[in-house]
Amino acid sequence: MVIPNNVTKIGNYAFHECSGLTEVTIPNSVTEIGVQVFQGCSSLTKVTIPNNVTKISDSAFRDCSSLTEMTIPNSVTEIGRDAFHGCNGLKKLTIGEGITYIDRYTFYGCSGLRELTIPNSVTSIGYHTFYGCSDLKELTIGSSVTDIDNYAFHDCPSLISVTSLNTTPPKINSGTFDGATEQNATLHVPSECKTIYKQQPYWENFFTIQDDVETTSIGSIKVDGREQTDKDNAIYTINGVRLNTTKTGSLPNGIYIINGKKTIIK
């Protein structure tokens, strides 16, 4: 399916349960993806959201179980609840810097995800948002997140690393993380913040807490004379050499520039 260039909005239910649809091209003219537009398109393997889209509505891609990769551009400021609920084939997810709130159930049951970074633009994560992401191993929570609702990361038994970049511990609840995560995952927090995290309700339940994240912001750096910003979504060595990866889990121990901040990986 190729949508014409004069379309500005894909209306509610437009391709609902088109189970044979495998690929769709959305033009740059589109600014809004409506309610349940692609829900139940179980064979859809590829879709690119253009940079002019500002809203992805409720259940827009729900149960698109064959989707393996999704990039939400910086232009998107609103993602509705259940938008990617049940996308259990999704292995790679990039959330743009335009999002400030991730609504409830948005990525519920995305069991194929293995790494997840919540961008620094996000301030709040809703109820059951990433519940049941059973393959998720590494989670990074951005520096602006102040509130994570109940069960947001519940039933994520593979988590071995949780990194919170906020020097003030976000508010969480008794079920935000489950007991398996609290027992098995290492919680990485900003330098000299271990004590404050250990004193906060429910963060204190983590068996292992390490204050090994340096969060001194450098704003931007220059590589080959060109200024690089946080939105480049790239990783650099401390000397300004750009690495051919965006995955922190593949990095050897050392000091890096990640999301515009100096970060120590031990």
Side-chain angles (χ1 to χ4, degrees):
M1 172 61 67
V2 178
I3 300 172
N5 289 328
N6 59 344
V7 173
T8 59
K9 177 182 178 180
I10 306 176
N12 299 346
Y13 314 105
F15 302 99
H16 186 269
E17 294 189 359
C18 290
S19 58
L21 183 65
T22 60
E23 186 173 340
V24 61
T25 299
I26 301 175
N28 289 330
S29 55
V30 170
T31 60
E32 182 177 341
I33 299 174
V35 174
Q36 296 186 32
V37 167
F38 297 103
Q39 179 173 339
C41 293
S42 55
S43 298
L44 186 63
T45 59
K46 183 178 180 180
V47 59
T48 299
I49 299 176
N51 290 326
N52 289 327
V53 170
T54 60
K55 181 179 180 180
I56 300 173
S57 301
D58 295 353
S59 300
F61 294 93
R62 181 167 180 167
D63 296 326
C64 290
S65 54
S66 295
L67 273 180
T68 59
E69 185 174 338
M70 175 57 62
T71 297
I72 299 170
N74 293 331
S75 60
V76 175
T77 58
E78 182 180 352
I79 306 177
R81 65 182 60 180
D82 294 292
F84 297 91
H85 185 146
C87 293
N88 53 29
L90 192 63
K91 298 184 183 303
K92 183 177 181 180
L93 171 65
T94 302
I95 302 174
E97 295 279 351
I99 298 298
T100 58
Y101 173 59
I102 304 178
D103 209 341
R104 61 182 63 184
Y105 295 98
T106 302
F107 298 97
Y108 185 106
C110 291
S111 55
L113 280 179
R114 296 191 176 184
E115 295 182 13
L116 174 64
T117 297
I118 307 297
N120 292 330
S121 59
V122 172
T123 60
S124 183
I125 300 172
Y127 182 82
H128 275 89
T129 305
F130 294 95
Y131 188 106
C133 293
S134 54
D135 284 353
L136 185 62
K137 294 184 177 181
E138 298 184 13
L139 168 65
T140 300
I141 301 169
S143 59
S144 298
V145 174
T146 59
D147 184 81
I148 307 175
D149 212 337
N150 224 2
Y151 301 105
F153 297 101
H154 205 83
D155 195 23
C156 298
S158 299
L159 268 176
I160 58 173
S161 175
V162 176
T163 300
S164 177
L165 299 180
N166 198 335
T167 55
T168 300
K171 178 185 176 182
I172 64 174
N173 298 285
S174 60
T176 298
F177 298 96
D178 58 28
T181 296
E182 293 166 349
Q183 180 174 351
N184 299 323
T186 298
L187 174 61
H188 302 273
V189 301
S191 178
E192 300 182 0
C193 290
K194 180 176 180 178
T195 299
I196 191 172
Y197 271 83
K198 287 182 73 70
Q199 293 174 342
Q200 295 303 306
Y202 311 117
W203 287 112
E204 63 185 352
N205 293 340
F206 277 83
F207 284 29
T208 306
I209 303 178
Q210 297 181 0
D211 53 349
D212 53 4
V213 179
E214 175 59 58
T215 60
T216 302
S217 177
I218 62 168
S220 64
I221 60 176
K222 288 186 177 180
V223 178
D224 297 332
R226 295 180 294 108
E227 188 173 70
Q228 310 293 310
T229 67
D230 291 1
K231 294 184 179 180
D232 290 328
N233 195 30
I235 299 176
Y236 300 84
T237 68
I238 195 64
N239 295 320
V241 177
R242 182 168 181 167
L243 302 181
N244 189 28
T245 183
T246 58
K247 298 180 179 180
T248 59
S250 64
L251 299 175
N253 295 346
I255 302 175
Y256 300 89
I257 306 299
I258 302 175
N259 291 327
K261 299 179 185 296
K262 186 173 69 174
T263 304
I264 301 173
I265 295 181
K266 298 181 178 179

